[in-house]
Amino acid sequence: MRLTEEQTRFYDEAGYVAIDSVAPDEHVRAMRERIEELCEAWDTEESGRLGMQQEASVRGALTEAQTRATVRKFSGLVDHEPVFARHATDEALLDLVAALIGAPVCLYADQALLKPPHVGSEKMPHQDNAYFKVEPGDAVVTAWCALDDATPENGCMHYIPGSHRAGAVGHTAVDGTPHLVPDGFARDAAVAVPIRAGGVILHHAESLHFSPVNTTDAWRRAFVCHYVRADATMPGKDASTLRRVRG
Ligand SMILES: O=C(O)CCC(=O)C(=O)O
């Protein structure tokens, strides 16, 4: 799959680009079904090894059904779950990734980010590289794949166009959470980027972004792969242990 010149220019200028119909319907369906099974099996070893997290607002004494309906995250699925490995190594997706960051390409991290109906919370503003600290920032791209149609109402991605051009900005830890937020953030400048299921948003590691709450009756699910060029400097990661996905 090729990026057009216009899409490449848009990414360079805005720090993100949305591409429709990247993941085949069958792959999207299989990922959605597996997420449903994992939420159903929330108290098993299988879900546990994927670092299952629940919405903070509802943690505590819940019924089984309530627990299933409040899962917000699984991590590291590609190492254990074939349908997610198939997506992360899909050649069409990797063509887009390599066009933006070059090659060889490794998978840096992957996660399923879920916004359950009504309780799906905001993902606070941040740059991915506030967490990763990869040098250079241009060597990392996030491929955010919608598994449901993502809309402003159910918590689609929002970006500050051009924010990556300022490079890394300072972030401060939010008390009692694992979140970092940028020091100074112009929320009014954010643009909502709705996308259909199967579409992928590619964003730069220093693009400021967030996603609001899910106010709808339905899930907003995404599978997110962070890719890095193999020659980048990655504090806290042993690059030789990362999965090489494009030579
Ligand atoms: O899926 C979301 O709501 C947030 C995703 C995000 O922040 C990311 O992919 O870096």
Side-chain angles (χ1 to χ4, degrees):
M1 191 170 214
R2 295 267 166 270
L3 284 176
T4 64
E5 268 178 40
E6 195 188 335
Q7 288 169 331
T8 306
R9 191 166 356 103
F10 189 90
Y11 178 87
D12 287 342
E13 285 172 10
Y16 67 90
V17 63
I19 316 283
D20 291 324
S21 306
V22 175
D25 290 348
E26 201 272 309
H27 293 197
V28 172
R29 202 166 29 245
M31 288 190 277
R32 247 184 347 231
E33 282 172 9
R34 188 62 187 138
I35 286 173
E36 277 162 25
E37 287 169 6
L38 289 167
C39 288
E40 190 76 24
W42 61 273
D43 58 347
T44 62
E45 203 178 306
E46 211 174 14
S47 276
R49 77 179 169 193
L50 299 174
M52 191 271 273
Q53 283 183 19
Q54 271 178 276
E55 289 291 347
S57 60
V58 293
R59 264 183 225 140
L62 298 176
T63 64
E64 290 203 14
Q66 285 168 329
T67 303
R68 275 198 293 280
T70 56
V71 177
R72 69 170 287 270
K73 181 170 175 174
F74 294 105
S75 317
L77 295 99
V78 170
D79 282 344
H80 303 286
E81 297 285 333
V83 295
F84 295 97
R86 175 172 68 173
H87 173 77
T89 57
D90 184 78
E91 295 299 336
L93 175 62
L94 293 172
D95 288 344
L96 304 176
V97 166
L100 295 175
I101 63 171
V105 178
C106 296
L107 182 66
Y108 183 86
D110 67 274
Q111 44 192 336
L113 295 176
L114 318 176
K115 286 192 198 278
H118 301 294
V119 294
S121 58
E122 167 172 295
K123 174 67 189 174
M124 293 181 198
H126 64 281
Q127 294 175 318
D128 292 346
N129 223 16
Y131 296 88
F132 303 162
K133 304 202 181 309
V134 170
E135 288 283 348
D138 289 347
V140 181
V141 69
T142 292
W144 189 98
C145 180
L147 301 181
D148 300 294
D149 294 348
T151 65
E153 293 73 32
N154 71 10
C156 71
M157 295 291 277
H158 286 58
Y159 293 91
I160 309 289
S163 50
H164 65 304
R165 296 194 151 197
V169 300
H171 281 61
T172 303
V174 181
D175 276 353
T177 79
H179 301 299
L180 299 173
V181 289
D183 306 332
F185 179 67
R187 187 175 285 259
D188 291 354
V191 170
V193 184
I195 191 161
R196 303 288 299 269
V200 168
I201 307 173
L202 297 154
H203 71 236
H204 187 284
E206 286 161 353
S207 180
L208 282 164
H209 59 281
F210 68 98
S211 63
V213 297
N214 180 2
T215 59
T216 73
D217 295 337
W219 286 81
R220 193 237 65 184
R221 291 163 290 198
F223 183 54
V224 184
C225 293
H226 306 280
Y227 295 99
V228 64
R229 203 175 55 238
D231 65 3
T233 307
M234 305 170 215
K237 283 255 187 203
D238 177 354
S240 68
T241 64
L242 296 182
R243 180 188 289 240
R244 181 77 63 101
V245 289
R246 171 66 61 96

